């Protein structure tokens, strides 16, 4: 069914649905990333170790990642019109808790951060929702545009510290909760599921089992764990890295992290657009190659001007492009009635890929006062993903084309 036919039969516009889904993703990711810009402030006030600081920013990531599996399956069954408002309203609770009560001890912050992870599950709602609204030849670009919602982390990076310094700790949390509530109302009122959406009838356990048997699930999960996982890891840990490695102020480090995020966000639809025109495996190969070079260059802790800046911006562009290409691959290969379930598993892998590196980096810095080993490990992991892409994903596609 074409885009114009979808609009005629549903009374909704695919462009409007895509825009609203992207905004919802951004708002929930804004909430999901509220703790990261404040990590250094909490570290000073609560006298946290490097590992505790890493744990503080990583907990929302792992919960938001694992939560994508059931949320993706629920979206397959209930649709985005129900799930977007539901996730947004649920995220308000930990946001208000952290802003009003839960920021005076590490234990309280970890509890709030655990439930703040709900905001990160919005990704698993949007991909199947958007996917159903567009024909196959446009899904790579559409899902890539939706992926720009990960720029919500940039909103958090640019505003959270400034709002706390100018007002109080509760200010950014109250503002975010208000925006989440407003979005939930708009989403419930305006969002519509695509009329050709395939609704599964089998139980969740059976669908999850079927999803885990798909080759594309594991391939995309491994690739996304590196591409999106790398983006998440840098977006939550880069302020601490820049402060420790280069002595930057908290505000300067947060601004530079925002620049990293914005570039990665802008490149995500580029990765999807390219994947509509050339095989996604080729887009991924180029992206992973840039990540390897950037990580190796940065492992020497060069000066920020210009080598360090070039290395980080190159990795940002590559990780954004690779993330877009990965979900173009999912959109092309996953069965229509399993896109949400596949997205949940792949999205979980991506989030977990972002959970582990901050803990490793914090532990390495705490032991050696250097990040070199952690960046070398990133290069090694990216090389492994590149080999998977070249020897499995790309070769299988070529074999199918030849047949």
């Amino acid at each position: 069914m074409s885009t114009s036919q979808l609009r005629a039969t549903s009374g909704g516009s695919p462009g409007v649905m895509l825009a609203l889904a992207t905004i919802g993703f951004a708002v929930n990711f804004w909430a999901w990333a509220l703790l990261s810009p404040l990590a250094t402030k909490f570290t000073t006030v609560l006298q946290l170790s490097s590992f505790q600081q890493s744990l503080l920013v990583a907990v929302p990531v792992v919960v938001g990642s694992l939560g994508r599996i059931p949320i993706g399956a629920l979206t397959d069954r209930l649709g985005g019109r129900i799930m977007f408002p539901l996730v947004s309203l649920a995220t308000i609770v930990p946001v208000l808790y952290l802003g009003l009560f839960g920021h005076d001890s590490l234990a309280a912050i970890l509890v709030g951060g655990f439930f703040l992870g709900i905001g990160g599950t919005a990704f698993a709602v949007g991909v199947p929702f958007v996917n159903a609204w567009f024909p196959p030849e446009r899904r790579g670009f559409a899902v890539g545009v939706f992926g720009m919602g990960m720029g919500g982390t940039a909103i958090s990076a640019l505003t959270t510290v400034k709002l706390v310094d100018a007002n109080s700790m509760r200010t950014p949390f109250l503002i975010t909760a208000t925006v989440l509530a407003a979005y939930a109302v708009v989403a419930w009122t305006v969002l519509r599921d695509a009329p050709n959406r395939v609704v599964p009838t089998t139980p969740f356990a059976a669908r999850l089992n079927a999803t885990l048997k798909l080759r594309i699930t594991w391939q995309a999960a491994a690739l996304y764990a590196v591409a999106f996982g790398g983006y998440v890891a840098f977006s939550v840990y880069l302020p601490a890295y820049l402060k420790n490695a280069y002595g930057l102020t908290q505000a300067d480090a947060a601004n530079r992290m925002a620049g990293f995020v914005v570039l990665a966000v802008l490149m995500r639809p580029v990765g999807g657009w390219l994947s509509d025109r050339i095989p996604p495996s080729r887009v991924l190969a180029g992206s992973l190659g840039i990540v390897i070079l950037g990580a190796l260059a940065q492992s020497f802790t060069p000066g920020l001007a210009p080598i360090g800046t070039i290395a980080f911006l190159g990795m940002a562009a590559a990780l954004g492009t690779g993330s877009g290409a990965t979900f173009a691959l999912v959109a092309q290969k996953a069965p229509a009635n399993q896109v949400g379930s596949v997205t949940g598993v792949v999205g979980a892998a991506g989030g977990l890929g972002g959970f582990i590196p901050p803990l490793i980096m914090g532990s390495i810095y705490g032991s050696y006062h250097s990040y070199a080993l952690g960046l070398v490990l990133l290069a090694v992991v990216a090389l492994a993903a590149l080999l998977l892409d070249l020897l499995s994903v790309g070769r299988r596609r070529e074999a199918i084309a030849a047949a």
Side-chain angles (χ1 to χ4, degrees), residues 192-270:
R192 296 291 182 272
D193 289 305
N196 65 335
R197 184 175 72 90
V198 181
V199 181
T201 56
T202 54
F204 167 71
R207 282 184 286 136
L208 179 59
N209 184 55
T211 297
L212 295 177
K213 290 181 179 179
L214 294 173
R215 184 185 183 97
I216 183 60
T217 301
W218 294 105
Q219 290 176 333
L223 293 168
Y224 202 59
V226 178
F228 185 69
Y231 160 79
V232 171
F234 278 123
S235 69
V236 300
Y237 197 71
L238 196 54
Y241 172 91
L242 292 173
K243 184 176 183 297
N244 292 331
Y246 292 99
L248 300 185
T249 65
Q250 182 178 355
D252 190 12
N255 288 337
R256 291 174 185 269
M257 185 270 273
F260 180 97
V261 168
V262 168
L263 180 56
V265 166
L266 292 176
M267 293 304 295
R268 184 154 182 159
V270 174

Side-chain angles (χ1 to χ4, degrees), residues 51-70:
F51 180 80
Q52 288 174 323
Q53 179 183 1
S54 302
L55 187 64
L56 182 148
V57 299
V59 165
V61 174
V62 71
V63 176
S65 304
L66 294 176
R68 292 174 186 178
I69 297 175

